[in-house]
Amino acid sequence: MREVRRQERLLREQWEAAQGQVRRWGGVGDGQRRVLAQLLVLTARGWRVLVGRVRSGDVLVVGPGGVFVVGIDDEVRDGAAAGLLAATRVAESAVASLGMSPVAVQPVVAVSGQSPDRGPGRIRVLGEQEVGRVLLAQPRRLRAESVRAIADHLERVLPDREEVVLELGTVLPPPAAPDGLFDLDGLREAALEGARRAPIEQWMTFLHPDQVALVRRNWSGPARISGPAGTGKTVVALHRAAHLARRTTGRILYVTFANNLPRVQSTFLRTMAPAVADRVDFRSLHSWAQEFLQERGVPVRLNGDKAETAFSLAWKDLGRESPLARIDPGPAYWREEIDYVIKGRGLTRFEEYAVVVRKRRRAGLHRTQRQSVWELYEEYEARRNERGVHDFNDVLSLALAEVSKERGRPPYAAVVVDEVQDLTLVGVRLLHALVGDAPNGLLLVGDGQQTVYPGGFRLTDAGIDIRGDRGQVLRTNYRNSRQILDAALAVVADDAFEDIDGEPTPGRRDVDLTYHDGNVVRVAEPTVEAHDRELVGALQALPDGALADTALLCPSQWALGHYQRLLARAEIPVCRLEQYDGNPVDAVKLGTYRRAKGLEFKNVLLPRYDADFASGTPGTDTARERAELRRSRLFVAMTRARDLLWLGSVAEPSAR
């Protein structure tokens, strides 16, 4: 209580001093004086206030909560709102060279009296008595040295239009009576809450200037951002989505393949750009397509179990004794051929399949063998139709057909596609069809080296032409240390790949590093039991609170179940990645390598990481393809780590 009383007394003194300061200014109305007095109070708490730097009458406020362009008026007028947005763009450009994202620059209108905390588009409208409290309560984005550097920079690069410097002076008139409109309780509580709140992730505010340039760029058509793991592709994509939401009146679709990632990305965007978060739809591609079809009355009967039964019967009747079994006796390879090559590419005639280039499929097939595959496909389709069900590929094909019928205004102002390399060709065509080749309409983000599903395609196959500087490559790794990155690259060093732009790329790529504190710990034990004891010990040795940023990743569902039971017995809390939404939770994040796509953690533990590499018939094309895909998945899992990568292995020959 003593601290609360001290804070209240200090705030009241600062408020009274600020009122005395603003009484000296002529030509300023009472409402403006009250707003300026509240902003003056902020200067005693680490904020800087600049008047008339971007537009006469506007106030630039820089503080722990970011950069705010504050307009003071009796009401929100259309012309004034347009002027405030223009002033905000000037401020965004001014701080872009410092690496500050446009999401950290926010327009605010302070109006007379009380006002609901909302406004037109990205503009936040606050009552004159609310401004100081709301700004002070903002999540902490900037450290004190950043506030000083940004304010000094703005003073240098923006002209001084009104020659007014707002600072709380030491020589002031006698204190005036407190103003009834001043929300002392709210301001005090905001100050205390701000002191308790931990800083948010730096990337929510600061990017490399090259990344900021991509976020703010005007693209003349579809664009693509690629780059090795850890180079900030997803970060740029999130900031781009927020930037587009602020610049347009339509909705933005942010889509990826995995169904857990959109929840996490939505949480991040809501934290860094709450004013526009409701205008960005984060969805997995299949869930979006199902909802889209439902809204248009197109029946979807998705049933994975019945579709799997249909394929099993087709393989039993036509595949098991066919020439295909001599290439690979397992049905899984041929189910993938149907899913990712035939249906994934939207092929409907054998003559199309007979000549298609089967990207990332190592087993060569001549025409007779392709005929056998096509017969297996037709038998599967017949049995699936008998059961009256669809598979996941059907959902995308139906949605593409429905979108192709539409005329008029596109349903989205822009589409951002993350992890594009994991989509099928039909999926990419569907997303392209939503916005076409409109300027700033389609952004594709991904890296072919991190493909975790079989098959592949080129963007030209989807009718997407990325020209000139609309194809950008990020080359600086902001996540991994040299030790962690070298360990991961050693896994895929010999696996050259062709990305979706058609360019052949070596497995070991050169990147610039900015992070140097990570460590790799390798543990080899003779038995599974000894290995698991070391794993539990490593988790228990982490400092308090570290589990919130720790992941244990597994190559298979079987391994996932084993380690969930192990951690439960050790009373170590677990959060499955299927339920993780990006909000901090003091528990180990447990999931498969594929579920970890697009995420990062301070500590990543990979138990028995090398156990899967001996499976398959040595020397066959299909075995080599499967091994390459397993290495790609392991590479993805390893590059999720920032500070610690724990690699466990078991020497026991019989270990599963």
Side-chain angles (χ1 to χ4, degrees), residues 82-290:
L84 182 62
L85 291 175
T88 303
R89 288 192 287 272
V90 171
E92 288 174 355
S93 298
V95 298
S97 61
L98 301 178
M100 192 172 214
S101 170
V103 304
V105 182
Q106 303 177 55
V108 174
V109 172
V111 298
S112 300
Q114 294 186 343
S115 174
D117 187 355
R118 55 182 174 80
R122 63 180 295 198
I123 296 177
R124 193 169 183 180
V125 180
L126 300 171
E128 61 187 40
Q129 74 277 22
E130 301 167 324
V131 175
R133 171 177 55 82
V134 170
L135 296 191
L136 195 59
Q138 292 299 299
R140 185 176 298 274
R141 291 180 181 271
L142 305 176
R143 297 188 296 269
E145 56 269 30
S146 298
V147 172
R148 288 193 297 270
I150 292 167
D152 290 346
H153 174 74
L154 289 172
E155 283 186 330
R156 286 193 301 270
V157 302
L158 296 177
D160 187 350
R161 297 173 181 272
E162 299 187 10
E163 298 183 352
V164 175
V165 178
L166 282 181
E167 292 180 352
L168 204 53
T170 55
V171 180
L172 296 170
D179 194 311
L181 289 176
F182 176 56
D183 185 359
L184 182 63
D185 291 338
L187 193 57
R188 179 185 63 243
E189 302 233 353
L192 295 176
E193 177 61 22
R196 290 192 293 264
R197 187 182 288 121
I200 65 173
E201 293 285 359
Q202 283 298 298
W203 61 258
M204 292 184 179
T205 301
F206 287 102
L207 306 176
H208 187 278
D210 291 345
Q211 294 176 314
V212 175
L214 295 182
V215 170
R216 302 178 67 240
R217 179 170 294 185
N218 279 320
W219 308 98
S220 60
R224 183 182 179 225
I225 297 175
S226 62
T231 53
K233 298 180 296 296
T234 294
V235 171
V236 171
L238 284 169
H239 283 259
R240 177 69 174 177
H243 177 72
L244 292 174
R246 289 179 162 188
R247 293 296 182 272
T248 66
T249 57
R251 300 195 65 78
I252 311 299
L253 176 63
Y254 191 112
V255 68
T256 189
F257 183 83
N259 57 19
N260 63 306
L261 197 52
R263 290 194 301 274
V264 177
Q265 293 165 329
S266 177
T267 297
F268 288 163
L269 188 78
R270 193 166 294 280
T271 300
M272 71 188 205
V276 297
D278 289 338
R279 293 189 38 240
V280 182
D281 297 333
F282 287 91
R283 301 297 298 274
S284 69
L285 178 58
H286 285 97
S287 69
W288 178 85
Q290 289 181 69

Side-chain angles (χ1 to χ4, degrees), residues 413-486:
V415 174
V416 178
V417 187
D418 201 4
E419 306 291 354
V420 64
Q421 74 278 355
D422 288 333
L423 303 186
T424 63
L425 181 60
V426 170
V428 174
R429 283 175 175 160
L430 167 60
L431 295 169
H432 182 213
L434 290 176
V435 289
D437 293 329
N440 300 315
L442 180 66
L443 177 62
L444 305 171
V445 180
D447 173 34
Q449 191 170 36
Q450 299 180 69
T451 298
V452 296
Y453 295 98
F457 59 89
R458 290 181 177 178
L459 287 178
T460 52
D461 299 333
I464 300 175
D465 185 6
I466 304 294
R467 296 186 178 183
D469 68 351
R470 286 193 275 124
Q472 293 288 320
V473 181
L474 297 173
R475 304 185 187 278
T476 301
N477 185 305
Y478 301 95
R479 179 194 305 149
N480 310 124
S481 68
R482 172 59 66 187
Q483 300 95 312
I484 291 175
L485 187 60
D486 281 348

Side-chain angles (χ1 to χ4, degrees), residues 338-358:
I338 291 173
D339 282 343
Y340 293 98
V341 180
I342 296 178
K343 299 190 74 169
R345 297 181 68 92
L347 306 180
T348 58
R349 298 182 300 109
F350 171 69
E351 291 306 321
E352 295 174 318
Y353 177 59
V355 297
V356 74
V357 178
R358 301 163 57 249

